[in-house]
Amino acid sequence: MYDAIVIGGGPAGYVAAVRLASYGFKVALVERRYLGGECTNWGCIPSKALIEIAHGLSIAKQLRRAGINIGIGEVNRSKILEWIKRVVLRSREGIKYLVSDVDLYEGEASLKSRNEVIVRRREGREVIEGKNIIIATGTEPSEIPGVRFDGKYVLSNRDFFELKEIPSSVLIVGGGIIGVELGSALARLGTEVYIVEILDRIISMYDPDVSSIIMKYLKRFGVKVYLRSTVKRVEVSDGVVRARIVSRDGESMDVNVEKVLIAVGRKYNTKGIGLENVGVKTHERGYIIVDERQKTNVGNIYAAGDVTGPPLLAHKAYREAIIAADVIAGAEEVPPKEPIPEVIYTTPEVGVAGITELKAKEAKINVQIVKYPYAAVPRDYTVLERTPEGFIKLIVEGSTKRIIGGVIVGNMASELIHVLALAIQKRLTLKDLSEVIYAHPTYSEMIGEVAHLGLGKPIHIKGQHT
């Protein structure tokens, strides 16, 4: 009998398995397809590789302004995806090495009882036993009414990264994180991009000032964005996809593209894994309900990662995996689950931690909003691809001056946001951030600058001291 059986080899699953093995436990890991799950194979890793290529092309073009002329030939759309697939394979092989001390089963898993898991493999059906079980089955891409994935013309993010070459034109349904990341990168590589978003603005989960800057850059890259609109019909004829876009006002238009990419959300992988056999409870939205220690309502069964609900992020999955493994190993104290930093790898990048300005106002929390522009950051003047419209924004608790939220839009936001996450987690104040000495010239200086500004003592921006 295993000490633990982990179902799913994505970010939550493989981390939980590795953590348990490090404690000396006998662990089985069941994965039906590829180690690394969504993030490694069709999400975080391939999309960031694509974004890096787009950024590199942009830098090469910007070098001309600095006196270095680099000849740029035609974009080889097939080689780009070949390179991305090699990146994915390297990442997947790294994970395979990490789980070398774990018994890996390749197949479909389902719960037979509280201590038994059925594994359906090519070789046949097998039942394995475990004292504890961790469910980390993740999510699947969601379709939209009337438009189904076909893997050739109408694509999920998974289908997209299985293509032979980058399409010359694409309509992206959904102006959320996946939509704006891929749309931005593809447009910079020369793809004609359309984005259709049902709501009033893109990435609407964040503050309007974030949406407006990303919208500005998307338009600068040539992306055509249709807000308050939906895709009602998709037809394929002679290898061309015709999609009908209908606005909230009832106006419609047809666009012809090579591919349609659906990026409207995810559905939880809780069907067909035997939850009903043991009585594991799920939320009405489909995800598995867990407590602060990742326990389900069934004593020895845990869940971690996307299958436990939003936010659907790999680093959230990592933390939940560590908690589940540590609890199984007998830990009384577990690390905190918040704040969870969120990043959008557009140009410019976006980083968010803690509460947003919009959410603070909706909750009627007394806050001070402090905002400092990238235009006042010397380091941003030295780079080839500036983001002068960007900003750093602190959401500060009014009475204590404690940092409870932070937003960064601009270069290096994906790295800088962790300083604000640390400030939130450790309950730091404006004064605490202002007392750090920041190297010059760096983007990190902004953190000190915005803290001084919030205290009424601005340094590199005009303003009267208070």
Side-chain angles (χ1 to χ4, degrees):
M1 176 180 282
Y2 287 102
D3 294 305
I5 301 170
V6 182
I7 303 175
Y14 82 76
V15 168
V18 170
R19 184 82 162 189
L20 286 164
S22 73
Y23 288 127
F25 289 167
K26 185 180 180 183
V27 183
L29 174 62
V30 186
E31 170 53 46
R32 64 181 179 179
R33 194 170 180 188
Y34 298 135
L35 285 172
E38 194 73 29
C39 177
T40 296
N41 297 287
W42 309 286
C44 326
I45 300 303
S47 64
K48 303 316 165 284
L50 178 68
I51 290 164
E52 182 67 17
I53 294 169
H55 178 66
L57 178 61
S58 178
I59 291 298
K61 292 177 178 178
Q62 295 290 344
L63 278 169
R64 295 170 182 169
R65 296 168 51 207
I68 300 175
N69 294 317
I70 297 177
I72 299 173
E74 183 181 355
V75 172
N76 189 318
R77 298 177 179 276
S78 60
K79 280 194 174 181
I80 288 175
L81 281 177
E82 287 173 8
W83 185 82
I84 290 171
K85 287 170 184 175
R86 289 197 297 271
V87 170
V88 169
L89 184 60
R90 285 196 297 270
S91 182
R92 194 190 301 159
E93 287 299 312
I95 295 169
K96 187 176 180 180
Y97 170 76
L98 286 174
V99 300
S100 57
D101 293 331
V102 172
D103 288 346
L104 180 61
Y105 291 79
E106 296 180 7
E108 297 268 357
S110 62
L111 299 171
K112 181 180 180 183
S113 70
R114 290 180 53 158
N115 298 103
E116 295 175 299
V117 172
I118 300 170
V119 182
R120 294 175 178 84
R121 311 168 75 179
R122 290 180 181 177
E123 299 84 1
R125 182 175 176 274
E126 182 178 357
V127 177
I128 56 176
E129 298 181 334
K131 298 174 185 176
N132 300 281
I133 295 171
I134 299 176
I135 302 169
T137 47
T139 60
E140 296 277 340
S142 292
E143 296 174 320
I144 59 174
V147 182
R148 300 184 65 83
F149 300 130
D150 62 20
K152 185 175 182 181
Y153 297 106
V154 181
L155 313 174
S156 68
N157 65 299
R158 294 183 177 183
D159 299 323
F160 179 86
F161 286 110
E162 298 288 348
L163 292 174
K164 298 296 183 183
E165 65 176 31
I166 290 173
S168 59
S169 58
V170 63
L171 184 150
I172 300 174
V173 183
I177 294 174
I178 295 173
V180 297
E181 281 189 353
L182 293 183
S184 173
L186 289 170
R188 299 174 86 191
L189 290 169
T191 296
E192 184 180 8
V193 178
Y194 302 83
I195 294 179
V196 178
E197 170 54 50
I198 194 171
L199 299 176
D200 294 337
R201 56 189 177 90
I202 56 171
I203 47 174
S204 58
M205 68 286 291
Y206 302 121
D207 292 334
D209 52 2
V210 176
S211 299
S212 64
I213 291 178
I214 300 306
M215 185 72 160
K216 179 178 181 178
Y217 272 79
L218 286 173
K219 289 182 176 179
R220 184 180 298 174
F221 300 148
V223 178
K224 300 174 183 68
V225 182
Y226 298 88
L227 300 174
R228 299 175 291 278
S229 301
T230 56
V231 173
K232 291 296 186 182
R233 188 173 69 225
V234 172
E235 297 174 341
V236 180
S237 178
D238 297 326
V240 176
V241 185
R242 174 169 289 183
R244 173 151 295 181
I245 302 170
V246 180
S247 72
R248 197 179 294 169
D249 300 328
E251 297 181 359
S252 65
M253 67 171 291
D254 291 342
V255 297
N256 294 332
V257 291
E258 190 178 332
K259 307 290 182 184
V260 171
L261 172 62
I262 308 295
V264 293
R266 315 286 300 182
K267 55 186 178 182
Y268 300 101
N269 285 330
T270 52
K271 303 294 184 184
I273 60 171
L275 298 184
E276 65 282 359
N277 294 336
V278 293
V280 171
K281 290 183 179 178
T282 58
H283 189 272
E284 60 184 14
R285 290 174 58 189
Y287 59 81
I288 296 175
I289 300 170
V290 294
D291 63 14
E292 286 301 305
R293 297 168 71 81
Q294 301 306 129
K295 288 188 173 184
T296 69
N297 61 299
V298 179
N300 67 315
I301 299 179
Y302 301 74
D306 287 358
V307 77
T308 66
L312 308 183
L313 298 167
H315 44 286
K316 174 252 195 185
Y318 292 156
R319 177 51 54 93
E320 291 185 347
I322 290 170
I323 291 172
D326 286 1
V327 170
I328 289 172
E332 292 296 327
E333 293 186 8
V334 294
K337 288 187 178 183
E338 294 182 339
I340 302 170
E342 301 180 28
V343 173
I344 310 176
Y345 296 86
T346 43
T347 297
E349 291 184 342
V350 177
V352 179
I355 196 167
T356 63
E357 179 181 359
L358 193 61
K359 293 294 184 184
K361 288 180 178 178
E362 289 175 354
K364 294 182 169 52
I365 300 172
N366 177 29
V367 293
Q368 174 189 2
I369 304 299
V370 192
K371 200 170 180 180
Y372 190 87
Y374 262 67
V377 180
R379 182 68 179 93
D380 205 52
Y381 283 84
T382 69
V383 300
L384 289 167
E385 194 165 59
R386 296 182 57 212
T387 52
E389 298 90 347
F391 61 83
I392 180 171
K393 178 169 62 175
L394 299 182
I395 294 84
V396 184
E397 195 172 55
S399 57
T400 64
K401 300 301 178 186
R402 184 169 61 84
I403 313 301
I404 60 173
V407 179
I408 305 174
V409 181
N411 285 331
M412 299 295 292
S414 61
E415 302 294 339
L416 295 169
I417 195 60
H418 299 94
V419 178
L420 300 188
L422 179 65
I424 295 165
Q425 206 269 320
K426 295 302 181 184
R427 304 175 66 85
L428 301 184
T429 64
L430 284 173
K431 185 173 182 293
D432 293 325
L433 290 183
S434 74
E435 290 178 344
V436 177
I437 298 174
Y438 300 87
H440 174 80
T442 62
Y443 283 108
S444 299
E445 286 181 279
M446 286 190 304
I447 297 166
E449 293 281 352
V450 73
H452 280 286
L453 181 61
L455 292 170
K457 299 176 180 180
I459 303 172
H460 286 98
I461 192 168
K462 283 190 175 182
Q464 190 170 353
H465 283 211
T466 59

